Amino acid sequence: MPARTAQLLLVLTLFAAVGGAVTGCDSEQEGGRGTRSHTPDPVAKARARQVADAWDGSEAARAWRKGYYPMDETVQLPEHAFHDGDDKQAYEAQNFVLRGELPAAPRKNGQVKWESGASLTLPLMEARQAYETVARGGHDGPHLTVTGAKLGEMTLATSRGPATVPAWLFTLDGYDTPLKRAALRPSKAPTPPVAPVAEGTSATLWPLQGLVETAGDSRSVTVMAGHGACDDGPVVDVLETGGSVVLSASIVGAKDGPCTRQMLREKVTVKLDRPLDDRVLLDAFTGRPVRHVN
């Protein structure tokens, strides 16, 4: 493996483990392999099959289907957001100012309610905790002002389909409708039945950097894939089984020689042969479910 490729693979692997920030160029590609043509690597295809075989019918898959795992934004913006560029900048920088009291949770637990009729009871997040998940900025520059909050509900996509969950509704100064933040944390992820790709053993597979969104009809998913500054960008192949959908990310057009060590990322939309439904969406590199990134 060329030294430059090995270095970038190591950096991206560390990113996948800790969820660090990267610079972005969010162009979107359609199709299971995006718009860039390439020949799927036999080693990557074999790895995808290994991951699918390990998960299908496993205890981990059964636990995943019993839990609450958002596949959508857990923060929903007010209607007509944003009024101007400053408000958008403030939200993206997580710059909020609290001008009011945040209430205590009226009860200890809340329920996820799925359209299927199933439900799950989980600890309810306090308003202060929910606020702190969105207000992480340093207050430099433009800010949004929160004047109060109350407990309500929101609907979002999950690994088990659409669900209604308790949510804190934060009143923002200047907006007629609230900013919503889901008041339940995801269930603990099950232990994967397959280990991640060992560092330095694959020059083709790359870790995905998270799920961006699932289409309303569940027939496609958009993921964030990483690549370097000296290649033509990422592609994502898909292996579908009855119990899982395994995504294999790679890059095309990699060049040897001197190159900056920055990380870039792109949105890649992967079309599926049939709806995702409750099949487990998996990353071939890590062997783990692809989690949503806010």
Side-chain angles (χ1 to χ4, degrees), residues 185-201:
R185 288 190 172 87
S187 303
K188 181 181 178 180
T191 301
V194 60
V197 171
E199 180 185 318
T201 61

Side-chain angles (χ1 to χ4, degrees), residues 15-216:
F15 170 88
V18 302
V22 298
T23 58
C25 55
D26 294 347
S27 63
E28 191 164 307
Q29 305 173 59
E30 299 292 339
R33 297 187 178 95
T35 56
R36 300 181 176 98
S37 61
H38 79 298
T39 301
D41 180 73
V43 174
K45 291 175 67 176
R47 168 62 181 180
R49 173 56 63 184
Q50 177 192 29
V51 171
D53 289 346
W55 273 89
D56 289 356
S58 68
E59 183 58 38
R62 286 189 286 273
W64 181 263
R65 293 189 179 95
K66 293 179 181 178
Y68 161 61
Y69 303 102
M71 306 287 278
D72 201 354
E73 295 280 359
T74 55
V75 177
Q76 295 178 357
L77 299 177
E79 294 177 9
H80 311 300
F82 293 96
H83 292 336
D84 53 38
D86 281 351
D87 281 4
K88 183 177 181 181
Q89 180 183 338
Y91 176 75
E92 292 175 346
Q94 297 186 309
N95 278 341
F96 288 78
V97 173
L98 181 60
R99 295 282 187 266
E101 296 294 326
L102 294 179
R107 55 187 183 275
K108 189 174 182 180
N109 297 316
Q111 273 198 334
V112 186
K113 298 178 182 177
W114 282 275
E115 287 186 355
S116 64
S119 64
L120 180 65
T121 299
L122 293 169
L124 194 63
M125 188 185 301
E126 291 284 351
R128 170 63 68 173
Q129 294 173 315
Y131 173 76
E132 289 175 352
T133 66
V134 298
R136 295 171 173 164
H139 304 299
D140 293 328
H143 63 267
L144 292 164
T145 301
V146 172
T147 58
K150 66 178 181 179
L151 191 64
E153 291 183 332
M154 64 186 286
T155 301
L156 74 166
T158 76
S159 58
R160 297 167 60 177
T164 299
V165 302
W168 286 106
L169 313 183
F170 293 100
T171 305
L172 295 184
D173 187 31
Y175 289 83
D176 295 331
T177 58
L179 179 145
K180 301 179 181 180
R181 202 306 183 184
L184 302 177
R185 288 190 172 87
S187 303
K188 181 181 178 180
T191 301
V194 60
V197 171
E199 180 185 318
T201 61
S202 175
T204 55
L205 272 177
W206 300 76
L208 288 169
Q209 297 170 18
L211 173 68
V212 177
E213 64 180 358
T214 304

Side-chain angles (χ1 to χ4, degrees), residues 259-277:
C259 183
T260 59
R261 295 180 62 181
Q262 71 193 104
M263 288 185 294
L264 304 174
R265 62 179 185 174
E266 290 187 18
K267 292 179 183 177
V268 180
T269 297
V270 182
K271 293 182 178 178
L272 306 179
D273 290 336
R274 60 188 180 85
L276 179 63
D277 292 335

Side-chain angles (χ1 to χ4, degrees), residues 211-264:
L211 173 68
V212 177
E213 64 180 358
T214 304
D217 62 1
S218 197
R219 292 296 295 262
S220 68
V221 295
T222 300
V223 294
M224 197 68 76
H227 67 105
C230 295
D231 55 59
D232 294 333
V235 290
V236 179
D237 291 304
V238 57
L239 171 65
E240 299 189 46
T241 73
S244 61
V245 172
V246 184
L247 303 181
S248 303
S250 59
I251 59 172
V252 291
K255 304 173 183 65
D256 293 333
C259 183
T260 59
R261 295 180 62 181
Q262 71 193 104
M263 288 185 294
L264 304 174

